[in-house]
């Protein structure tokens, strides 16, 4: 079974600074997807960034980037130039490639951006 | 993009009654839908996986007779909480994976349903 671990229950960062959220996972699969989702107070799940395991290049989406270390099974999220609107719960998620496999989530990290 | 619509967003029901939550894919065919439950300040816990036209697969510890899932078409799955009790109060979220391949490399989420049983 796949497990996803987020070891930081809460994080805070000053506006305009950079913060990194940690995520590790355990799997015997070789081909899979990793995700970071943002859940604001509305509780709508918003996809932040996605990484395909077979791609060595780290994914980047504007101010959001990941550090994907496949051998170490690590998938951290870096948020640059933090904005007040980034305040939310962030979930790391794992999904096996192919078929109709489900998505498994970490416990989440509550990020607060301070003015 | 792929849109999943979940209704209702909030529902209050009396203990002992049943409540149905709908999850619709608006612009794609959802070959598989997933139902999650989220308690306050906790993560999403998978309850069950449903494929169109077949019985749902429930996670260990989830009562299939309590949480009835129907995936009768490629655009609609329903979760019915039967004989609801206060401990069933929670936030329920659906997600869907679809076809073609481009819609199968991630899951698309509904807005969630806050269920309160009184």
């Amino acid at each position: 079974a796949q497990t996803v671990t987020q070891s930081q229950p809460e994080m805070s960062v000053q506006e305009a600074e950079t913060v990194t959220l940690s995520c590790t996972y355990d799997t015997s699969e070789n081909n899979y997807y990793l995700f970071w989702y943002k859940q604001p107070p509305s509780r709508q799940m918003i996809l932040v960034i996605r990484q395909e395991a077979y791609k060595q290049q780290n994914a980047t989406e504007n101010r959001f980037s990941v550090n994907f270390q496949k051998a170490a099974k690590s998938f951290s999220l870096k948020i640059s130039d933090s904005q007040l609107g980034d305040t939310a719960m962030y979930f790391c998620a794992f999904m096996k490639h192919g078929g109709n496999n489900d998505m498994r989530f970490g416990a989440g990290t509550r990020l607060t951006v301070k003015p | 993009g792929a849109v999943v619509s979940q209704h209702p967003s909030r529902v209050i029901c009396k203990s002992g009654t049943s409540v149905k939550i709908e999850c619709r894919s608006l612009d794609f065919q959802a070959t598989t839908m997933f139902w999650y439950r989220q308690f306050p300040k906790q993560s999403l816990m998978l309850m069950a996986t449903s494929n169109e036209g077949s019985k749902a697969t429930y996670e260990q510890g989830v009562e299939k007779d309590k949480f009835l899932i129907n995936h009768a078409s490629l655009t609609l799955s329903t979760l019915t909480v039967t004989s609801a009790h206060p401990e069933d109060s929670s936030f329920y979220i659906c997600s869907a994976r679809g076809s073609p391949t481009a819609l199968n490399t991630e899951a698309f989420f509904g807005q969630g349903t806050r269920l309160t049983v009184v």
Side-chain angles (χ1 to χ4, degrees):
Chain A
Q2 289 75 35
T3 58
V4 180
T5 302
Q6 292 179 250
S7 58
Q8 305 155 314
E10 294 187 14
M11 294 277 285
S12 63
V13 63
Q14 289 296 133
E15 193 175 9
E17 295 189 346
T18 296
V19 64
T20 298
L21 308 184
S22 301
C23 174
T24 58
Y25 59 95
D26 186 24
T27 184
S28 59
E29 301 288 326
N30 187 53
N31 207 359
Y32 49 87
Y33 303 97
L34 294 165
F35 307 85
W36 278 98
Y37 279 89
K38 171 184 178 181
Q39 189 181 45
S42 68
R43 304 189 82 168
Q44 171 74 56
M45 296 293 284
I46 301 169
L47 178 64
V48 174
I49 200 165
R50 180 180 71 186
Q51 176 79 42
E52 296 165 15
Y54 67 86
K55 291 186 177 179
Q56 291 187 336
Q57 186 173 6
N58 289 323
T60 299
E61 288 288 341
N62 300 315
R63 299 183 294 108
F64 301 89
S65 62
V66 298
N67 183 3
F68 173 47
Q69 301 290 327
K70 190 173 184 179
K73 297 180 181 176
S74 171
F75 183 62
S76 61
L77 173 70
K78 185 172 80 171
I79 306 174
S80 304
D81 186 24
S82 297
Q83 300 176 0
L84 296 178
D86 295 334
T87 293
M89 281 290 291
Y90 286 81
F91 292 100
C92 178
F94 172 100
M95 186 173 77
K96 288 194 292 185
H97 180 269
N100 296 307
N101 296 299
D102 59 84
M103 190 176 286
R104 301 284 171 154
F105 292 87
T109 297
R110 181 173 300 279
L111 176 67
T112 302
V113 180
K114 299 179 178 179
Chain B
V3 179
V4 174
S5 178
Q6 186 175 341
H7 290 283
S9 58
R10 291 175 179 263
V11 59
I12 301 173
C13 71
K14 291 185 177 180
S15 186
T17 62
S18 297
V19 60
K20 180 184 288 187
I21 302 169
E22 291 189 348
C23 182
R24 294 180 183 272
S25 58
L26 298 185
D27 50 4
F28 69 102
Q29 293 185 330
T31 51
T32 306
M33 286 189 171
F34 308 94
W35 288 94
Y36 293 86
R37 183 173 182 175
Q38 186 181 29
F39 289 108
K41 299 185 178 181
Q42 294 189 22
S43 186
L44 284 73
M45 299 303 296
L46 181 68
M47 298 174 67
T49 300
S50 72
N51 293 293
E52 184 265 339
S54 61
K55 290 184 178 180
T57 302
Y58 290 80
E59 293 297 298
Q60 190 174 7
V62 178
E63 300 175 59
K64 60 179 66 177
D65 295 330
K66 174 79 169 174
F67 299 99
L68 300 179
I69 292 172
N70 184 286
H71 192 166
S73 76
L74 284 171
T75 59
L76 175 64
S77 176
T78 60
L79 167 67
T80 301
V81 182
T82 63
S83 186
H85 291 284
E87 57 265 30
D88 299 324
S89 298
S90 189
F91 191 69
Y92 294 86
I93 308 177
C94 71
S95 72
R97 295 181 70 177
S99 61
T101 303
L103 297 176
N104 195 257
T105 59
E106 64 179 278
F108 303 93
F109 286 84
Q111 306 94 317
T113 298
R114 183 182 302 279
L115 170 64
T116 303
V117 184
V118 297

